[in-house]
Amino acid sequence: VEASIPEPQREAWKRNQITSFTDKDGFEKEVVRHVETTLARSMFNCDEIAAYSATSLAFRDRLITHWNRTQQRQTYRDTKRVYYLSLEFLMGRALDNAMLNVGLKNVAQDGLAELGFRIEDVVKQEHDAALGNGGLGRLAACFLDSLATLNFPAWGYGLRYRYGIFKQEIIDGYQVEVPDYWLDFNPWEFPRHDVTVDIQFFGQVNKKTVGGKTISVWEAGEIVQAVAYDVPIPGYDTPTTNNLRLWSSKASGGEFDFQKFNSGDYESSVADQQRAETISAVLYPNDNLERGKELRLKQQYFWVAASLYDIVRRFKKSRRSWNEFPDQVAIQLNDTHPTLAIVELQRILVDVEGLEWDNAWEIVTSTFGYTNHTVLPEALEKWPVGLVQHLLPRHLQIIYDINLFFLQSVEKAFPDDRDMLRRVSIIEESQPKMVRMAFLAIVGSHKVNGVAELHSDLIKTTIFKDFVEIYGPDKFTNVTNGITPRRWLHQANPRLSELIASKCGGNDFLKDLTILNQLEKHVEDKQFRKEWAEIKYANKVRLAKHIKDTTGVVVNPASLFDVQVKRIHEYKRQQLNIFGVIHRYLSLKAMTPDQRKKQLPRVSIFGGKAAPGYWMAKQIIHLINSVGAVVNKDEDIGDLLKVIFLEDYNVSKAEMICPASDISEHISTAGTEASGTSNMKFVLNGGLIIGTCDGANIEITREIGESNIFLFGNLSEDVEDLRHAHTYGSHTIDSDLDKVFNEIEKGTFGTPHDFSAMIAAVRQHGDYYLVSDDFHSYIETHQLVDEAYRNQDEWIAKCITSVSRMGFFTSDRCINEYAEEIWNVEPLVVDRH
Ligand code: Z2T
């Protein structure tokens, strides 16, 4: 049915065009209107939550106008679009970001003040949209911000989880998980009950002959409906407002299965509905780990099939030939989670649209790009063949065919290398047989990228080595990660952003981060350094208040704030950090009061969630809290050392923590952290970092200079030999670390047995993460940090210099690289009015 208004009646629509507010009075009018109509409240019962809701609705209305215009423009011009498929989007809060991106935060601040509210308190009412675990999900969110800011026609596709990443509570020093039910009131999403896709699972494949041609028909066992929910993504200082489409699952055929309902089988009809809704119920809370659960595979196919149906439907509207598909559509796979999209597109083209296999495959491989985010073997996705066969029988056939043709081509190119065929096969001939998703993603894409230089080199020489031989090196590339300076500087650190703007000729640096280099000529400016230091101090005071409010511990903001916030993982080595803290504590205890007076006060701040099933990570959290409980009340120590574990680290907390750090820790075992992105956030906010030669730390060092970073530890090329020596040679533990272990075993930090597995991992089980190998270097480097911090003037100069050289690490640069090298898309500017 044509829903478009006929020409003669359009005049009436144009006459009634919506005009959005541009000033304080207009904003206030909208807030009052929303309080009194949309929310059905009044000034007599308007609390901060209502003020948040009404402010959001006012800004939402503004976004919608731009959003509609952006979508109309993109449809009309019909240029190539980018589709970013990610199972995670770690968005955080939307209101502050929307106000800043449309440039009306000041207006809202003044308006809210007149109406009786402080904007900081209003903004804080919003619940984080936490549909992600960590770096991978936050990267997707930064990319959406950059795509919109740079005016690229782009959509994100994801899942609308009813429960995002769990909320972390610390009870008696242990992590406790609480469900994150976040959809109570969410003004930022628009249900599209008219945009639905039926997704099928299970069933069987039958051959049919149609017009002399044999085709495969997948007859369904079960159908679940996907419903679209759209979230507007505003660019900064541009009307471009892109779309993030999240799919929610629902039983197909309305509220109930009426057959069952009427026949009195009420319970099973409700059970069917619940089973369908389970698909989008919960985000899997693992970072860098795949556990091979059937429901996870169902989530992946559900989301991928709905998204592809949507993309294909949009493409078909322009009635182009299928060969033009890759000229109109670029699909980026955020890790292997959406790899089934490759198989699904091949299925649509061959089974549904009737294209020849080779023709279809050419289209498919020209369309997809694949980003790898890890080399950790436990995180590489593999699915049992039997499970895929059961859930997606036709897809398994197609995977086998893709593999067959691929292996035939490999055999041709490497005729005498049987072992090569075994190594690169998409099907691992194990017991049970497994589908190797990364290999499928490589074979089905035209480009594969890693996320930092070292990481991109590592994948080429280790896990994907054979594929470089097969396809040549050009298929593999690097796009070093970046972050959006809008959220991570302008929003998180408004005072620093303003100070920078005053030295860089206004806010243009937020759109071209290389302009930060103009700061460097002011490094010697005493007044500038003073203001810089004052802002850092104020940010530390704010964090100190949060620490007091949430933990009861009083910390001195004049201390050196040493921060490690990220998911808890053995490879990220929070255990190295806490062992280092214990070493510092023991050193302080051994000093005379006079010696102690000369020491630099420190606060060691930790934060991060452990995957609920990751026992060792939970032990690490417990040790940190146990050390804090002893150290923080030790009167010999006082302000010289405090140990804090911040509960429930998330995006909005990161926005408060990053600006308050003096030194942050990025200390993964060399070669294990693909990139890291919080390293960039901390440096951009005027903090220095201590880190290993890993991930993006290496490029940060190259940009800001070796004298502005504290590097330590073994290099990635030495890791293999060290591990081998631990297992097959004699393994001696660093003597200082040994003293730390002995102290833990004496019971100084509570029942020693609680921590015996952490110690055994180093002493007895081969110290896979090289904690002992790097311990001495780590401790020494922290000494250098102390010495450097004593010279505040020099320290501030290092911070300013570092910030001035951080231009490279904007996600805008990443998006431009992807656009140029992988997607072949161009921006499309939307008129302002
Ligand atoms: C994740 O956050 C990352 C990699 C993953 O590999 C999975 C998850 Cl959930 C499957 C992280 C990397 O650990 C980090 O180094 C990187 O900066 C980030 O992705 C974005 O690329």
Side-chain angles (χ1 to χ4, degrees), residues 785-803:
V785 171
D786 278 356
E787 282 163 36
Y789 195 76
R790 286 176 188 283
N791 189 339
Q792 268 299 298
D793 217 39
E794 281 269 310
W795 182 276
I796 300 290
K798 282 180 192 292
C799 296
I800 296 171
T801 307
S802 300
V803 171

Side-chain angles (χ1 to χ4, degrees), residues 399-415:
I399 292 169
Y400 267 102
D401 286 343
I402 293 170
N403 196 36
L404 177 70
F405 297 132
F406 167 62
L407 291 181
Q408 280 174 351
S409 74
V410 175
E411 195 172 19
K412 234 185 182 166
F414 303 87

Side-chain angles (χ1 to χ4, degrees), residues 519-668:
L519 288 177
E520 203 150 353
K521 59 175 179 280
H522 302 283
V523 176
E524 298 303 325
D525 179 339
K526 287 265 142 54
Q527 181 58 25
F528 178 50
R529 285 194 193 184
K530 188 163 160 267
E531 284 172 45
W532 188 282
E534 275 167 14
I535 291 167
K536 178 60 77 180
Y537 189 80
N539 290 330
K540 289 167 74 177
V541 169
R542 180 172 64 158
L543 180 57
K545 179 170 187 311
H546 176 81
I547 291 172
K548 172 84 202 317
D549 292 347
T550 55
T551 68
V553 179
V554 177
V555 302
N556 177 0
S559 318
L560 187 157
F561 279 20
D562 171 351
V563 181
Q564 187 177 19
V565 285
K566 50 183 86 228
R567 288 298 291 257
I568 312 292
H569 209 298
E570 287 163 280
Y571 87 79
K572 295 179 190 281
R573 297 202 293 191
Q574 284 91 356
Q575 71 278 40
L576 173 61
N577 187 342
I578 192 65
F579 293 152
V581 169
I582 295 173
H583 176 268
R584 177 174 287 263
Y585 176 63
L586 298 180
S587 310
L588 289 168
K589 288 294 272 186
M591 288 176 192
T592 64
D594 273 351
Q595 286 173 312
R596 279 190 203 132
K597 280 196 193 99
K598 294 184 200 127
Q599 300 306 306
L600 192 77
R602 251 201 203 229
V603 185
S604 268
I605 300 165
F606 294 81
K609 293 173 187 177
Y614 192 169
W615 183 81
M616 189 69 93
K618 291 180 156 182
Q619 298 301 105
I620 296 173
I621 292 176
H622 185 220
L623 178 59
I624 295 167
N625 283 308
S626 303
V627 172
V630 171
V631 172
N632 296 344
K633 65 170 202 315
D634 190 325
E635 289 178 359
D636 294 344
I637 301 300
D639 271 358
L640 289 181
L641 184 60
K642 295 284 181 213
V643 182
I644 305 295
F645 192 94
L646 291 174
E647 199 173 67
D648 199 40
Y649 176 60
N650 61 11
V651 171
S652 54
K653 297 220 173 69
E655 289 168 24
M656 167 178 54
I657 296 165
C658 293
S661 152
D662 292 310
I663 191 122
S664 63
E665 311 238 355
H666 308 276
I667 57 176
S668 49

Side-chain angles (χ1 to χ4, degrees), residues 88 133-136 139 286-288 335 373-374 379 451 481 571-572 673-677:
E88 304 189 9
N133 276 288
L136 173 143
L139 186 76
N286 303 315
D287 188 293
N288 269 292
D335 214 83
H373 293 267
T374 189
V451 291
N481 282 166
Y571 87 79
K572 295 179 190 281
E673 189 71 276
S675 161
T677 43

Side-chain angles (χ1 to χ4, degrees), residues 88 132-140 143 284 286-290 296 334-337 371-376 379-381 450-452 455 479 481 567 571-572 672-680 695-696 818:
E88 304 189 9
N133 276 288
L136 173 143
R138 183 55 230 176
L139 186 76
F143 281 5
Y284 276 88
N286 303 315
D287 188 293
N288 269 292
L289 177 74
E290 277 298 330
R296 169 83 165 184
N334 197 23
D335 214 83
T336 53
H337 315 144
T371 305
N372 171 280
H373 293 267
T374 189
V375 293
L376 300 189
L380 296 180
E381 262 190 298
V451 291
H455 169 65
V479 182
N481 282 166
R567 288 298 291 257
Y571 87 79
K572 295 179 190 281
T672 62
E673 189 71 276
S675 161
T677 43
S678 75
N679 41 10
M680 302 165 193
Y818 279 98

